[in-house]
Amino acid sequence: MTVIATIEQLEAIYGQTNDASTVKVADHVTPLYRIFIEKSPFAALATIGPEGIDCSPRGDLPGFVRVHDEKTLMLPDRRGNNRVDSLRNIVRDPRVSLMFLIPGSGNAIRANGRAHLSVDPDLLASFKVDGKAPRSVMVMELDEIYFQCARAIVRSDLWNPDKRIDPKTLPTPGQILAEMSQNTVGGEEYDRIWPTRAAATMW
């Protein structure tokens, strides 16, 4: 197998970027990029730590990532499984990346920067939903932000309702847990009660 081992080899294959690929990059949240962030109900959060990299889904009401100012984004940490992989990484290495998606839009917004975790009581209270505050907020200092062209989403036909996969054709979380634990965790009971448990602990 032939391996690309240098930047020169890579550039020989792919060539140079065009103006549209570079002029779109900003070091702050522009008014137009702000519109995307405030309409997005979903983002992927990438972090890095001594064990390696991690990418975690984050979803909430549209605009759940707050544009505090043109250089600062704030992401509340809602209830989950308490693995805190992303948070553990941020404590040890501040480098983070967010990719925002908006259902129906072909474009993704990518934001890179450095973050810390805040447990300031007033800040936590400002993110309350249904009277419930997050346990921490990721405060991200933005280094760069830009949009990703629509080719990936167009190729995947991601938002086409006719291309949705029937969940019944996929393994369930209960089945995966049962397989991984020799049937000591998970199973049909896990799948049966999960919707009720999740609804009660959503925020």
Side-chain angles (χ1 to χ4, degrees):
M1 183 176 71
T2 301
V3 175
I4 298 174
T6 69
I7 296 299
E8 291 74 19
Q9 290 173 325
L10 187 66
E11 291 177 346
I13 295 171
Y14 285 93
Q16 298 298 314
T17 57
N18 58 35
D19 289 345
S21 296
T22 56
V23 74
K24 63 185 178 183
V25 181
D27 65 357
H28 63 283
V29 180
T30 67
L32 297 182
Y33 283 144
R34 181 173 188 141
I35 293 172
F36 274 95
I37 294 172
E38 292 180 342
K39 290 184 179 294
S40 173
F42 179 87
L45 170 63
T47 60
I48 187 167
E51 297 83 13
I53 59 174
D54 184 72
C55 188
S56 176
R58 292 291 191 269
D60 211 326
L61 303 174
F64 71 103
V65 174
R66 179 182 298 169
V67 181
H68 177 69
D69 58 45
E70 66 176 17
K71 289 290 290 184
T72 311
L73 301 178
M74 295 180 170
L75 169 62
D77 188 61
R78 300 298 183 191
R79 296 184 68 162
N81 57 20
N82 291 331
R83 283 183 56 104
V84 297
D85 296 308
S86 300
L87 307 187
R88 197 188 315 274
N89 282 348
I90 291 169
V91 167
R92 298 175 296 176
D93 188 324
R95 292 175 292 174
V96 298
S97 182
L98 284 168
M99 183 176 73
F100 296 92
L101 294 177
I102 300 175
S105 173
N107 295 301
I109 300 297
R110 297 168 60 175
N112 301 316
R114 296 174 182 272
H116 66 269
L117 304 179
S118 175
V119 291
D120 177 82
D122 291 336
L123 180 60
L124 299 182
S126 74
F127 280 97
K128 281 185 178 180
V129 175
D130 288 347
K132 299 174 183 177
R135 283 180 283 183
S136 67
V137 173
M138 184 189 85
V139 181
M140 176 181 178
E141 181 180 351
L142 192 70
D143 289 332
E144 62 177 4
I145 184 170
Y146 54 95
F147 74 88
Q148 181 75 34
C149 78
R151 287 189 182 88
I153 292 177
V154 171
R155 283 192 294 256
S156 67
D157 212 5
L158 184 63
W159 308 125
N160 185 345
D162 295 330
K163 297 294 182 66
R164 290 180 180 172
I165 303 297
D166 183 354
K168 294 179 181 178
T169 67
L170 301 172
T172 68
Q175 290 170 337
I176 295 171
L177 289 170
E179 180 183 67
M180 297 296 290
S181 68
Q182 290 74 53
N183 293 309
T184 62
V185 179
E188 292 181 3
E189 178 69 3
Y190 180 94
D191 291 328
R192 186 184 66 77
I193 67 175
W194 188 89
T196 301
R197 180 165 58 87
T201 59
M202 187 61 64
W203 308 109

